[in-house]
């Protein structure tokens, strides 16, 4: 494996750029409703963990279909001690989700999501390099690597533990979820991740579950700012090529703020954090906690029965999650 220059440590640009974005959002007018984007860590090596979308602070009982596309590009190259890790590829995740109500008083909802994954070399390497250049973001050695390549490799003590050079299309792990409103603005939620993916194809393939609380910030009636705070824990079966390194218990949490910039348009920013997914390794990219920053918006024209979301995600703790992920979603009630 050719050694490439390590990824830069983020410097002063991150607080300036994203602090400025947050200030712009906070100064606008706001929608006092859902202030969340259904994002999570989209890393290939995070698929074995039940890390749910956060911020749904009220039950959704009207019956909603959600169709989503997550386009993710990741590049990590680390050689530390007796270990070497290369993550280089793109994934398209297509999600079909239904949410319905249950229980008396419309206090509960349930959901099922079917994910379809397509992995390959992709096409975004050049675009992302240009994006990083324009905004002075760290490139992590992308410009030294072959473009549009698919290669996931992990070597430990001279033993090749993982070596995947061809992507493909596979069913991911199906998720079943349920939530119950404890009091207004506070939801208790849980999911079960079924082992329907193929672990040999890096599509999940292990049983997992999570439980957490979604809490809405108290806001004046008819107020223009909305937000949420969430926290919980994920428990997962150890499986796959890196099962000996996999953590079983993963605490996670998030925070988000929404701003209504037009009557039908909401701007949203949020952070998603989780504990390290792997341990007993010298590769810092595996043993770091994850922190993803997401910025996007939701447009609900007319009666609001149809909503569209567009968002992008960056890794605030570098190399612990993909450095670029783009999400497009459509909700139909």
């Amino acid at each position: 494996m050719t050694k490439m220059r390590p990824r830069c440590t983020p410097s002063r640009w991150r607080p300036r750029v994203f602090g400025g974005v947050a200030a712009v959002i906070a100064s606008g007018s706001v929608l006092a409703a859902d202030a969340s984007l259904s994002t999570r860590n989209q890393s290939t090596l995070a698929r074995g963990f039940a890390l749910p979308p956060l911020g749904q602070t009220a039950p959704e009982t009207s019956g909603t279909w959600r169709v989503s596309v997550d386009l993710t590009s990741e590049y990590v190259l680390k050689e530390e001690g007796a270990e070497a890790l290369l993550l280089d590829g793109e994934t398209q995740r297509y999600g079909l989700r239904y949410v319905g109500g249950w229980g008396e008083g419309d206090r509960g909802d349930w959901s099922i999501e079917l994910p379809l994954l397509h992995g390959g070399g992709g096409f975004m390497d050049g675009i992302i390099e240009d994006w990083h250049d324009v905004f002075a973001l760290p490139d992590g050695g992308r410009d030294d690597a072959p473009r549009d390549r698919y290669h996931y490799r992990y070597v430990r003590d001279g033993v090749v533990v993982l070596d995947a050079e061809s992507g493909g299309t596979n069913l991911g792990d199906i998720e079943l979820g349920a939530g119950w409103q404890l009091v207004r603005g506070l939801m208790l939620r849980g999911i079960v991740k079924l082992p329907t993916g193929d672990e040999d194809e890096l599509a999940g393939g292990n049983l997992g579950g999570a439980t957490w609380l979604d809490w809405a910030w108290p806001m004046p009636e008819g107020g223009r700012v909305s937000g949420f705070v969430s926290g919980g824990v994920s428990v997962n079966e150890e499986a796959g090529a890196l099962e000996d390194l996999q953590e079983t218990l993963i605490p996670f949490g998030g925070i988000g703020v929404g701003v209504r910039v037009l009557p039908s348009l909401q701007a949203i920013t949020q952070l998603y954090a989780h504990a390290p997914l792997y341990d007993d390794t010298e590769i810092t990219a595996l043993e770091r906690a994850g922190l993803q920053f997401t910025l996007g918006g939701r447009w609900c024209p007319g009666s609001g029965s149809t909503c569209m979301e567009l968002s992008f995600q960056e890794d605030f703790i570098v190399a612990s999650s993909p450095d670029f992920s783009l999400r497009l979603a459509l909700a139909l009630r």
Side-chain angles (χ1 to χ4, degrees):
M1 183 184 301
T2 303
K3 187 172 183 179
M4 304 176 189
R5 61 180 175 85
R7 182 166 191 157
C8 318
T9 302
S11 56
R12 299 178 181 175
W13 62 266
R14 287 203 183 226
R16 287 177 186 167
V17 172
F18 294 115
V21 170
V24 170
I25 289 178
S27 65
S29 52
V30 184
L31 179 66
D34 180 24
S36 66
L37 297 162
S38 298
T39 60
R40 63 183 102 186
N41 189 342
Q42 293 289 345
S43 171
T44 299
L45 296 185
R47 291 185 195 136
F49 300 87
L51 295 172
L54 304 177
Q56 298 293 322
T57 60
E60 190 167 357
T61 59
S62 58
T64 303
W65 286 97
R66 298 181 184 274
V67 181
S68 61
V69 179
D70 293 277
L71 182 59
T72 300
S73 177
E74 56 188 331
Y75 179 80
V76 175
L77 178 65
K78 298 291 182 182
E79 296 182 16
E80 298 172 272
E83 299 175 57
L85 176 71
L86 172 65
L87 309 177
D88 189 1
E90 289 183 20
T91 302
Q92 300 165 28
R93 182 187 188 274
Y94 301 92
L96 178 62
R97 186 170 186 251
Y98 180 78
V99 185
W102 65 279
E104 295 183 5
D106 290 335
R107 294 182 60 184
D109 60 24
W110 64 273
S111 65
I112 180 171
E113 181 168 9
L114 282 70
L116 185 68
L117 304 168
H118 176 74
F123 61 91
M124 293 199 302
D125 283 347
I127 298 172
I128 294 172
E129 288 173 22
D130 293 340
W131 169 274
H132 288 164
D133 288 342
V134 168
F135 292 97
L137 305 178
D139 203 50
R142 277 182 179 270
D143 52 352
D144 293 329
R147 285 193 174 182
D148 305 329
R149 172 183 62 177
Y150 183 92
H151 196 182
Y152 288 79
R153 181 180 174 88
Y154 174 60
V155 179
R156 182 182 178 98
D157 297 326
V159 178
V160 178
V161 179
L162 170 66
D163 193 14
E165 295 188 76
S166 60
T169 302
N170 299 276
L171 177 68
D173 289 343
I174 294 173
E175 292 183 358
L176 305 176
W180 183 257
Q181 186 180 60
L182 301 177
V183 295
R184 184 176 180 181
L186 180 63
M187 293 289 296
L188 173 64
R189 295 194 173 276
I191 64 165
V192 175
K193 183 175 74 72
L194 303 178
T196 52
D198 188 340
E199 64 181 52
D200 294 332
E201 298 293 335
L202 304 180
N206 64 315
L207 185 66
T211 184
W212 72 100
L213 292 170
D214 286 327
W215 176 66
W217 292 355
M219 295 292 174
E221 189 71 27
R224 302 184 305 170
V225 175
S226 59
F228 74 88
V229 176
S230 301
V233 65
S234 172
V235 181
N236 306 274
E237 176 190 22
E238 297 176 359
L242 275 63
E243 63 178 308
D244 292 340
L245 309 181
Q246 183 179 330
E247 292 281 14
T248 303
L249 193 66
I250 310 294
F252 60 85
I255 185 171
V257 177
V259 176
R260 183 171 51 186
V261 294
L262 292 172
S264 60
L265 180 63
Q266 185 183 22
I268 301 171
T269 182
Q270 65 187 49
L271 290 171
Y272 193 129
H274 58 75
L277 304 181
Y278 297 92
D279 196 8
D280 190 28
T281 173
E282 297 183 72
I283 301 293
T284 55
L286 293 176
E287 65 176 5
R288 283 176 176 164
L291 181 62
Q292 300 97 47
F293 170 84
T294 305
L295 180 66
R298 178 183 296 110
W299 181 46
C300 301
S303 64
S305 60
T306 301
C307 292
M308 287 167 278
E309 294 181 9
L310 178 64
S311 64
F312 77 89
Q313 185 180 98
E314 276 273 349
D315 54 339
F316 260 23
I317 299 179
V318 296
S320 63
S321 49
D323 59 346
F324 186 86
S325 188
L326 182 69
R327 178 179 176 84
L328 178 63
L330 176 66
L332 303 171
R333 293 181 177 87

